[in-house]
């Protein structure tokens, strides 16, 4: 069974940093691209970042470019999101989501974690 | 950036009704569109991929159609467990989502 479990969320002051983790199991992690998607309280979904299976290709949304860094450790079956210079508007539930790969034509999020809440507030 | 416009933003319907949600892209995205269902407090779930393909295990009352800029998501006979918010998502370029449609029971 595919499982994605996020951790690392919490309360942080504006300008602070936080590192999110996503532990993957139930599939060959090193074969799949991964994403972070966030959802502000009461709002819609916003794609944040993408990393290919080998980490050779990385993309960011304009809203986080230069402040967030996505990475992965295939030996540890783990995905990360380093968030620096956090702002009030970064407050959200952050989900890691698997990119479905060859069975789909493009970025299709076929499995999601339960999410971890990041609150940026003084 | 490709903008996705969903309508309506909310919808109230009765059990057994046919429900339709539309999603319009700001430019041609071919069939590069997915639909997700999100229940309160839960992660989104993939329902439809490549505009019209039903994800494995998803009930056949859900369907999708369209190409280019205009897409439609349909529930043929609304069930109580379908109460959720539905999102379209394009992947022609960097992924982006519609603003969501909150579906309620009348």
């Amino acid at each position: 069974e595919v499982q994605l479990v996020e951790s690392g969320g919490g309360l942080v002051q504006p300008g602070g940093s936080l590192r999110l983790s996503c532990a993957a199991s139930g599939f060959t992690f090193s074969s799949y691209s991964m994403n972070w998607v966030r959802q502000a309280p009461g709002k819609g979904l916003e794609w944040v970042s993408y990393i290919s299976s080998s980490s050779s290709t990385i993309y960011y949304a304009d809203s986080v470019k230069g402040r967030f860094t996505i990475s992965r450790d295939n030996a540890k079956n783990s995905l990360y999101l380093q968030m620096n210079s956090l702002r009030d508007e970064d407050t959200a539930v952050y989900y890691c989501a698997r990119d479905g790969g060859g069975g789909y034509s493009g970025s299709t999020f076929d499995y999601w974690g339960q999410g971890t809440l990041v609150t940026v507030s003084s | 950036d490709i903008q996705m416009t969903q309508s309506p933003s909310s919808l109230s319907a009765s059990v057994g009704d046919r429900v339709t949600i539309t999603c319009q892209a700001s430019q041609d995205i071919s069939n590069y569109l997915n639909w997700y269902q999100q229940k309160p407090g839960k992660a989104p779930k993939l329902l439809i991929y490549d505009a019209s393909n039903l994800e494995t295990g998803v009930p056949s009352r859900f369907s999708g159609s369209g190409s280019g800029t205009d897409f439609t998501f349909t529930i043929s006979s609304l069930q109580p467990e379908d109460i959720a918010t539905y999102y379209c998502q394009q992947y022609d370029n960097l992924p982006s989502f519609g603003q969501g449609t909150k579906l309620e029971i009348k």
Side-chain angles (χ1 to χ4, degrees):
Chain A
E1 178 193 6
V2 171
Q3 284 200 324
L4 299 169
V5 180
E6 301 94 337
S7 61
L11 176 63
V12 61
Q13 292 188 339
S17 298
L18 213 55
R19 189 195 197 205
L20 305 183
S21 299
C22 172
S25 61
F27 66 103
T28 305
F29 180 71
S30 59
S31 297
Y32 287 86
S33 300
M34 298 294 295
N35 296 267
W36 288 98
V37 177
R38 69 184 180 183
Q39 186 170 35
K43 302 297 184 182
L45 300 168
E46 179 187 15
W47 170 79
V48 172
S49 184
Y50 162 96
I51 186 167
S52 63
S53 57
S54 64
S55 304
S56 60
T57 302
I58 287 174
Y59 299 115
Y60 297 99
D62 287 344
S63 58
V64 306
K65 199 175 297 181
R67 300 186 300 122
F68 290 10
T69 302
I70 192 171
S71 63
R72 64 191 295 162
D73 185 335
N74 286 342
K76 295 182 177 180
N77 291 338
S78 293
L79 174 72
Y80 306 102
L81 186 68
Q82 177 67 43
M83 304 186 296
N84 298 331
S85 303
L86 282 162
R87 306 166 179 168
D88 290 352
E89 56 265 34
D90 295 319
T91 294
V93 172
Y94 285 74
Y95 297 99
C96 65
R98 192 179 83 165
D99 210 296
Y104 307 95
S105 298
S107 282
T108 296
F109 310 129
D110 62 347
Y111 285 94
W112 299 63
Q114 85 289 349
T116 187
L117 177 61
V118 173
T119 303
V120 184
S121 175
S122 54
Chain B
D1 294 359
I2 299 174
Q3 308 301 318
M4 306 302 294
T5 304
Q6 256 182 266
S7 62
S9 56
S10 64
L11 175 58
S12 181
S14 300
V15 172
D17 281 356
R18 183 181 183 88
V19 170
T20 299
I21 298 169
T22 64
C23 186
Q24 185 170 59
S26 58
Q27 64 188 67
D28 189 335
I29 59 169
S30 185
N31 68 329
Y32 299 150
L33 186 101
N34 301 321
W35 290 95
Y36 299 85
Q37 174 193 66
Q38 186 179 33
K39 296 184 178 181
K42 301 294 187 181
K45 174 186 176 183
L46 176 66
L47 299 180
I48 302 287
Y49 65 95
D50 296 350
S52 60
N53 295 309
L54 196 66
E55 176 71 348
T56 301
V58 173
S60 59
R61 64 180 180 274
F62 296 101
S63 65
S65 64
S67 66
T69 60
D70 295 305
F71 301 86
T72 300
F73 172 81
T74 300
I75 306 173
S76 60
S77 178
L78 184 66
Q79 300 302 302
E81 61 266 30
D82 299 337
I83 298 313
T85 300
Y86 294 84
Y87 294 93
C88 62
Q89 174 242 326
Q90 66 79 23
Y91 52 88
D92 181 65
N93 202 328
L94 296 181
S96 60
F97 293 88
Q99 77 274 25
T101 295
K102 186 175 183 179
L103 179 55
E104 298 174 328
I105 291 286
K106 190 182 294 183

